[in-house]
């Protein structure tokens, strides 16, 4: 079993910053790509940022220059540094990871989701 636990959400004023963390734990052999999604009320869940096991990064246009995704492979953790926050960034943020669980000679790959953490940006 694999779990992703998120932390770091909260309430900030426009222009402020937050740092989200998501740690994977359980019977993990290897974590491949990791990413952050967000979902605002009445809207579809969208990919915000993603990072591969080789540290290649991708961002949705609306957060480029403001958000930075990073990872610590030794800790199986992905981070999202959010600067210059805007009210339109308000959403529940979910982490996602492509995880190989098991052992080197007997494993399976699947995507796991974090529980979600609320980010609220006031104007």
């Amino acid at each position: 079993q694999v779990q992703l636990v998120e932390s770091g959400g909260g309430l900030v004023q426009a222009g402020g910053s937050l740092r989200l963390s998501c740690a994977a734990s359980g019977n993990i052999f290897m974590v491949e790509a990791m990413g952050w999604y967000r979902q605002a009320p009445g809207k579809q869940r969208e990919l915000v940022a993603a990072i591969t096991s080789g540290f290649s990064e991708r961002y949705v246009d609306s957060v480029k220059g403001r958000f930075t995704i990073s990872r610590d492979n030794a800790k199986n953790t992905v981070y999202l540094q959010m600067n210059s926050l805007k009210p339109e960034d308000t959403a529940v943020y979910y982490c996602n990871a492509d995880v190989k669980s098991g052992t080197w000679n007997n494993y399976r790959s699947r995507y796991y989701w974090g529980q979600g953490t609320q980010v609220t940006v006031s104007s």
Side-chain angles (χ1 to χ4, degrees), residues 6-12 17-21 36 82 117-119:
E6 303 179 27
S7 63
L11 173 64
V12 298
S17 298
L18 285 173
R19 181 177 173 86
L20 306 183
S21 299
W36 290 94
M82 303 183 293
T117 184
Q118 178 70 50
V119 172

Side-chain angles (χ1 to χ4, degrees), residues 58-121:
R58 183 164 70 91
Y59 302 92
V60 67
D61 287 344
S62 60
V63 309
K64 287 181 178 178
R66 300 188 297 119
F67 291 9
T68 302
I69 189 171
S70 61
R71 64 188 291 167
D72 185 336
N73 290 338
K75 298 180 179 179
N76 291 326
T77 299
V78 62
Y79 307 93
L80 186 66
Q81 179 66 47
M82 303 183 293
N83 298 325
S84 302
L85 283 162
K86 304 175 180 180
E88 48 264 46
D89 295 318
T90 295
V92 178
Y93 284 70
Y94 299 88
C95 65
N96 179 272
D98 179 9
V99 179
K100 289 184 173 65
S101 60
T103 63
W104 69 270
N105 62 339
N106 186 20
Y107 66 86
R108 67 169 182 170
S109 296
R110 64 171 289 180
Y111 287 92
Y112 292 87
W113 289 95
Q115 81 279 9
T117 184
Q118 178 70 50
V119 172
T120 302
V121 185

